[in-house]
Amino acid sequence: MNKLTKTLFIIYLIALCWILLFKLGVQFSYMNNRSLNLIPFRNLLTSNGKVDVGETVMNVIIFIPLGIYTGVLFKRWPFKNNVFFFFLVSLIFEALQFIFRIGAFDITDIITNTTGGIIGLMIFKVIEKLFNNNMKTQKFINIIAASGTALMVTLLLLLKLNMLPVRYQ
């Protein structure tokens, strides 16, 4: 059971790298331009004065599985260690984007990514209480994670092959 969880976790981390660092293999216009934002939520307003929370929500969502996997794989960690882990993973991604000029270093992303990890950990805790059995909890999470991983990989491949009606450039 634990091998499956670890395998799914590795697939998730690879997909996360592909999305955050390799930008799905697409060259975006903002690449090769280092920028640094240390003011939280500064870029929420669009040029026409409307609030755009799409990227913020996506940053939270994409880190929810990290919280769930952390709950399963690192059960003995105290809550503060989990939060530090989410923060550290997000900080590393942001720093790598800045260093390699593939994105901006944005404090908002660190906050929202860490929040996503915390939400994922809370989801894990709720599932754990519902099942009240470690094996049943892990089996349920593996089923959901395997389904979600298959769906995510399929969507990413379809997106990469331009087979979806969505433009990501």
Side-chain angles (χ1 to χ4, degrees):
M1 193 63 74
N2 222 8
K3 283 184 180 183
L4 177 59
T5 306
K6 288 177 184 176
T7 302
L8 291 168
F9 181 55
I10 290 168
I11 292 169
Y12 165 74
L13 290 176
I14 291 168
L16 198 60
C17 286
W18 190 41
I19 293 166
L20 297 178
L21 296 180
F22 301 112
K23 309 297 182 192
L24 306 172
V26 175
Q27 182 72 22
F28 290 96
S29 60
Y30 60 79
M31 290 177 159
N32 299 321
N33 183 15
R34 274 192 191 138
S35 65
L36 182 69
N37 175 28
L38 298 177
I39 301 170
F41 304 99
R42 183 182 81 187
N43 298 328
L44 281 183
L45 289 179
T46 62
S47 58
N48 61 5
K50 292 185 178 180
V51 176
D52 180 19
V53 295
E55 183 179 347
T56 302
V57 170
M58 290 306 294
N59 282 340
V60 171
I61 290 171
I62 201 167
F63 271 74
I64 288 174
L66 182 65
I68 295 171
Y69 283 121
T70 301
V72 172
L73 296 172
F74 309 112
K75 287 181 188 144
R76 295 184 180 155
W77 283 8
F79 181 76
K80 66 180 180 175
N81 288 19
N82 287 313
V83 172
F84 181 72
F85 178 69
F86 307 143
F87 168 80
L88 189 61
V89 168
S90 182
L91 179 66
I92 290 168
F93 277 119
E94 291 299 308
L96 289 173
Q97 287 180 50
F98 182 78
I99 291 167
F100 294 121
R101 295 179 176 223
I102 52 177
F105 182 96
D106 192 341
I107 193 69
T108 303
D109 291 351
I110 293 174
I111 293 167
T112 55
N113 294 347
T114 302
T115 301
I118 292 168
I119 292 169
L121 185 61
M122 291 183 338
I123 289 170
F124 166 76
K125 295 291 185 186
V126 167
I127 293 169
E128 190 177 44
K129 283 193 189 289
L130 287 173
F131 283 101
N132 202 22
N133 177 309
N134 287 338
M135 288 302 286
K136 287 182 180 178
T137 300
Q138 192 167 1
K139 187 175 184 178
F140 176 77
I141 287 172
N142 283 344
I143 291 168
I144 299 301
S147 303
T149 300
L151 178 63
M152 177 188 65
V153 168
T154 302
L155 288 173
L156 289 173
L157 288 173
L158 291 173
L159 184 64
K160 178 70 177 152
L161 297 171
N162 283 327
M163 298 178 75
L164 293 175
V166 175
R167 289 274 177 222
Y168 58 92
Q169 290 182 333

